[in-house]
Amino acid sequence: MPKLELEPLTAEAFAPFGTVMDTDAAEKRMINGGTTERFHALAMADTESEGGRTILSLFRGQPREFPYEIRMMERHPLGSQAFFPLSNREWIAVVAPDDDGRPGEPRAFRVPRDIGVQYGRNVWHHPLIAVGQVCQFLVVDREGEGDNLEEIGYPAPYVITKP
């Protein structure tokens, strides 16, 4: 079973798959009479194709057991999907390039506790991987008509041995 090593998350390494939402790299604006710091436009939601609309949801991810097998990937052909952690816990994002309509070899990123990611439209990714304890995420994605979920399994799993 091929091992999947965790990579550090950088904007450059993640760029083929979407956007890293890092408040340290964001444009900062003081608003509300100087009482609130705004981290402006961390990502741009891409959800309005074919009559879709942007929604905000709260996801509560159960922690995974390690070693953990990556057996499948999913993608959303009609919209982007953003995850921002609310639980102050590291988590794992697994993505893959497209290989003729199927997910290619995956890459796994260790995501710091205060960083979010937005998967681009039609980007292969694994469902949410919480580490250590139940974790909550603010999620921005698409709601609307059309088939916006495709799931495909790998012939053999990849394994993340430890977080």
Side-chain angles (χ1 to χ4, degrees):
M1 194 175 326
K3 280 174 134 178
L4 195 52
E5 297 296 327
L6 292 177
E7 301 176 45
L9 182 70
T10 66
E12 296 77 26
F14 198 77
F17 309 105
T19 305
V20 172
M21 296 185 297
D22 181 356
T23 57
D24 287 342
E27 176 188 341
K28 295 171 185 73
R29 297 180 182 177
M30 291 306 294
I31 62 171
N32 299 331
T35 63
T36 303
E37 191 172 11
R38 175 181 176 145
F39 301 95
H40 185 69
L42 293 173
M44 182 70 70
D46 177 10
T47 59
E48 297 183 9
S49 67
E50 298 185 30
R53 60 194 166 279
T54 303
I55 60 170
L56 301 175
S57 302
L58 183 68
F59 284 20
R60 186 169 290 140
Q62 300 300 309
R64 305 297 174 116
E65 296 287 325
F66 291 88
Y68 181 73
E69 294 182 359
I70 303 297
R71 296 184 167 278
M72 58 77 71
M73 298 291 265
E74 67 180 34
R75 67 179 174 181
H76 307 285
L78 301 179
S80 60
Q81 190 176 44
F83 291 82
F84 202 92
L86 301 176
S87 298
N88 199 30
R89 301 281 304 175
E90 280 191 346
W91 57 291
I92 296 172
V94 178
V95 293
D98 184 72
D99 185 6
D100 199 25
R102 299 186 59 80
E105 187 171 335
R107 293 175 67 183
F109 292 92
R110 180 186 313 276
V111 186
R113 62 186 72 228
D114 58 348
I115 303 290
V117 301
Q118 178 172 265
Y119 301 119
R121 177 197 306 234
N122 221 27
V123 167
W124 291 108
H125 61 278
H126 189 275
L128 182 62
I129 301 177
V131 176
Q133 69 184 42
V134 173
C135 297
Q136 294 192 119
F137 293 82
L138 178 64
V139 178
V140 179
D141 62 354
R142 180 189 185 276
E143 179 179 68
E145 297 298 318
D147 189 6
N148 193 33
L149 176 62
E150 184 177 358
E151 295 176 324
I152 293 185
Y154 282 114
Y158 293 82
V159 66
I160 299 172
T161 57
K162 60 183 177 179

